[in-house]
Amino acid sequence: MADRAAEVSQAAVADVPAEVLAGLKVRLTSIDYKADQRAEHWAGNLLIETGVAKDKDQAKAMPAAWIEAGELEIVRMKDASRHEADFIKPVAGV
């Protein structure tokens, strides 16, 4: 069952070219995008705005797939209001 879930997860990002992912990583490095979809600066909004994701469901699935693949990670840090929050960032060195 875990293998099937991994296949479904990877299918969400299978058609995204490496150069598009690289561009997203640059944006995720330079601007703090949160993991929480209720946040104004949610990482999924970046995917929708850039046309990488077509809808909110896909925008939720894609970061999860890249986290599972080791491309992105969730980093706990302080936001602009100095509150602890989870942000999506590229994995260092990848």
Side-chain angles (χ1 to χ4, degrees):
M1 184 122 94
D3 289 338
R4 177 70 181 132
E7 288 175 19
V8 169
S9 179
Q10 289 308 307
V13 295
D15 295 334
V16 178
E19 54 273 0
V20 171
L21 176 56
L24 291 170
K25 286 180 176 183
V26 169
R27 298 269 308 263
L28 290 168
T29 299
S30 62
I31 301 172
D32 293 332
Y33 285 95
K34 292 185 176 181
D36 187 339
Q37 67 183 5
R38 297 169 297 176
E40 181 180 348
H41 293 288
W42 172 49
N45 288 336
L46 170 64
L47 300 175
I48 294 168
E49 291 166 8
T50 57
V52 176
K54 65 180 186 250
D55 58 31
K56 195 171 188 176
D57 288 335
Q58 191 176 26
K60 288 191 312 191
M62 294 176 98
W66 282 317
I67 289 168
E68 186 176 303
E71 296 288 338
L72 301 177
E73 64 184 339
I74 294 178
V75 177
R76 187 99 175 139
M77 54 191 237
K78 292 187 179 187
D79 63 14
S81 301
R82 294 183 293 195
H83 296 106
E84 291 279 326
D86 292 331
F87 292 85
I88 295 183
K89 295 289 185 182
V91 172
V94 174

